Amino acid sequence: MKLLAIPPFLDVRFVPVVLLVMGLSTPGQAEITSLDSANIDDVLNNAGVSIVNFYADWCRFSQMLHPIFEESSNIVREEFPETTQVVFARVDCDQHSDIAQRYRITKYPTLKMFRNGMMMKREYRGQRSVVAIADFIRQQQVDPVKEMKSMEEANTLDRSKRNIIAYFEKRDSDNYHTYEKVSNILRDDCTFLAAFGAVSEAERFSGDNVIYKPVGESVPDMVYLGSLSNFDLTYAWAQDKCVPLVREITFENGEELTEEGIPFLILFHVKEDPESLEKFQHEVARQLISEKGSINFLHADCEKFRHPLLHIQKTPADCPVIAIDSFRHMYVYPDFKDINIPGKLRQFVLDLHSGKLHREFHHGPDPTDSTPGQEETGEEVASSPPESSFQKLAPSETRYTILSRDRDEL
């Protein structure tokens, strides 16, 4: 500890004032937990909310973030003193490259949020300031479940949003704690409501009950039939309802979707053509539901993505167009009109997984069709980790992906 030398001519009565003015008053020690392979699972699994700074010492922006992150931790710790309620942690990605690879870290610094050990899809992308980071954590502490005081509130819901309503005998129960945990994870995807005691009694004819109300006034409700005490089952059901099978990709959420680490199957369509989107959604649900988790189903505005379309020799006038973005190349589906041919769209996706699309991109059509889903020797499409769409490409490659635009353009 360095000691401050006080000149003999300085009246000691003014020392505290001088220290305050000079900013040398001792702040609370920042509680930043350094994570490694030995402690990361234990630390994250036992924390309600964790925000983790993935950094590299050689990175100037990482160096600039360190004091900001520490001061944010100090502020948050004063407001939420329970040590497992909020955890600020960091990972040195040079020292722990296995952790960086596990969480697909491709840029520094990256701030990712976890809830009870589960990494959230949306990383922190706000301003890197003490106030902004502290405000973000405060928002994460707001209860996402709105309590209904009367059953009439269920009839006045905003049906343009996805709503999940739960009916419990009491708040202090394992069933509600599971529901609360699920709602915290999916708070950005669904609106969660709950009723308790006498208010919920009419809906609890067979015990605690959870209902999903889809978008649209005339769409029927869906009831959860699993065990509310089983988090995995409850979360899987809610995620299936809250996260649409086909999502819209924009330049605002594109990098976030890329970080999920699986290829894109994209419908490019004009906003004034809802029929094409409906057909695409129907065929994805009919042909490709088993592929969910191995490829992301997306739709994009042709006008906004005019630039990417040019690189696959298309224009908005050609829409609707279907393409796969593998993060190496974009592969165009032959003809949108064939989308309703049984198995046609599915085979297109299987040809990606088998390596056929990649092989034919470089060497022309195969002389014979390969077995659907068969793994090709020598190909790395299925096993290689995906590249970030913002990474620089080698001059010898002609790769292009939907998000391969300079950051300044976004």
Side-chain angles (χ1 to χ4, degrees):
M1 177 180 177
K2 293 184 178 180
L3 299 178
L4 178 68
I6 303 175
F9 55 82
L10 182 63
D11 192 328
V12 295
R13 291 174 297 175
F14 299 106
V15 169
V17 177
V18 173
L19 291 175
L20 183 62
V21 171
M22 294 176 65
L24 295 174
S25 56
T26 304
Q29 182 65 35
E31 296 181 22
I32 311 295
T33 304
S34 294
L35 301 178
D36 54 36
S37 299
N39 71 354
I40 185 168
D41 291 328
D42 184 59
V43 170
L44 298 183
N45 290 342
N46 288 292
V49 171
S50 305
I51 183 166
V52 182
N53 175 16
F54 293 87
Y55 70 95
D57 276 334
W58 50 263
C59 170
R60 180 168 63 92
F61 297 106
S62 292
Q63 296 166 9
M64 293 168 60
L65 181 61
H66 283 317
I68 295 171
F69 195 65
E70 291 176 358
E71 185 57 30
S72 300
S73 171
N74 288 337
I75 292 174
V76 170
R77 177 63 60 236
E78 290 180 5
E79 297 182 30
F80 306 101
E82 176 59 44
T83 55
T84 59
Q85 190 173 5
V86 180
V87 168
F88 277 67
R90 60 189 168 204
V91 175
D92 183 334
C93 293
D94 284 336
Q95 295 292 323
H96 305 289
S97 58
D98 56 325
I99 298 178
Q101 186 174 3
R102 173 180 172 181
Y103 294 111
R104 302 190 184 101
I105 306 302
T106 59
K107 59 188 184 301
Y108 309 111
T110 293
L111 295 179
K112 285 190 175 290
M113 195 182 74
F114 297 76
R115 284 188 177 276
N116 302 108
M118 182 178 293
M119 185 179 73
M120 300 296 94
K121 291 184 300 182
R122 296 171 177 85
E123 67 183 50
Y124 176 75
R125 299 182 184 278
Q127 186 180 0
R128 288 172 181 173
S129 70
V130 172
V131 172
I133 293 175
D135 282 344
F136 172 75
I137 296 299
R138 289 189 192 99
Q139 292 166 13
Q140 300 306 311
Q141 295 300 310
V142 175
D143 189 349
V145 181
K146 178 187 175 184
E147 182 177 354
M148 297 194 308
K149 300 298 184 181
S150 73
M151 289 301 298
E152 292 182 2
E153 293 182 42
N155 300 322
T156 59
L157 297 175
D158 182 353
R159 295 307 296 266
S160 68
K161 298 180 179 179
R162 295 174 175 81
N163 296 278
I164 292 184
I165 306 178
Y167 303 97
F168 297 100
E169 180 181 1
K170 53 185 179 180
R171 182 187 292 268
D172 185 17
S173 65
D174 291 341
N175 286 353
Y176 178 70
H177 293 326
T178 298
Y179 182 72
E180 188 177 38
K181 189 175 176 181
V182 169
S183 66
N184 267 307
I185 295 171
L186 296 171
R187 61 167 61 213
D188 295 326
D189 302 297
C190 262
T191 299
F192 290 87
L193 303 98
F196 304 93
V199 175
S200 67
E201 188 172 2
E203 294 290 334
R204 290 188 288 103
F205 44 84
S206 59
D208 291 345
N209 191 24
V210 177
I211 293 175
Y212 169 64
K213 290 183 174 292
V215 173
E217 295 290 345
S218 59
V219 185
D221 296 345
M222 301 179 188
V223 180
Y224 175 56
L225 301 176
S227 169
L228 269 169
S229 62
N230 187 314
F231 167 78
D232 291 335
L233 286 178
T234 308
Y235 172 71
W237 179 84
Q239 184 188 42
D240 181 65
K241 302 298 179 283
C242 294
V243 180
L245 185 60
V246 179
R247 294 176 283 177
E248 182 176 11
I249 183 171
T250 66
F251 283 115
E252 288 70 35
N253 72 357
E255 189 175 3
E256 176 183 301
L257 289 170
T258 300
E259 287 165 357
E260 294 182 19
I262 55 178
F264 299 160
L265 177 68
I266 311 167
L267 168 70
F268 295 92
H269 68 105
V270 295
K271 284 285 188 181
E272 295 75 21
D273 179 24
E275 183 180 349
S276 295
L277 177 57
E278 289 174 6
K279 286 181 179 179
F280 181 69
Q281 290 171 326
H282 176 74
E283 292 304 324
V284 165
R286 186 167 73 98
Q287 300 185 41
L288 293 168
I289 192 68
S290 63
E291 295 300 314
K292 184 180 180 181
S294 68
I295 191 165
N296 267 325
F297 309 116
L298 308 169
H299 68 97
D301 186 330
C302 275
E303 289 296 334
K304 291 181 179 178
F305 285 87
R306 178 186 293 266
H307 187 61
L309 282 171
L310 290 175
H311 284 263
I312 53 173
Q313 290 77 53
K314 302 291 182 180
T315 70
D318 297 309
C319 290
V321 172
I322 295 174
I324 286 176
D325 181 353
S326 72
F327 305 150
R328 294 183 170 191
H329 304 291
M330 291 187 71
Y331 310 105
V332 183
Y333 184 73
D335 192 336
F336 179 81
K337 292 192 293 291
D338 294 339
I339 189 175
N340 59 348
I341 297 177
K344 185 88 172 182
L345 189 61
R346 175 177 171 78
Q347 188 60 52
F348 184 54
V349 172
L350 293 178
D351 286 345
L352 168 73
H353 295 324
S354 72
K356 181 180 179 182
L357 293 182
H358 184 73
R359 185 174 59 254
E360 291 189 339
F361 181 90
H362 289 284
H363 306 296
D366 281 353
T368 58
D369 288 334
S370 60
T371 304
Q374 180 180 342
E375 196 70 29
E376 299 291 335
T377 59
E379 292 292 329
E380 299 178 348
V381 174
S383 59
S384 303
E387 295 178 349
S388 165
S389 297
F390 288 100
Q391 285 180 326
K392 294 287 186 180
L393 301 177
S396 61
E397 290 283 2
T398 56
R399 302 172 186 166
Y400 189 82
T401 65
I402 190 172
L403 296 173
S404 293
R405 299 178 63 185
D406 293 335
R407 288 182 182 273
D408 292 341
E409 294 184 54
L410 303 184

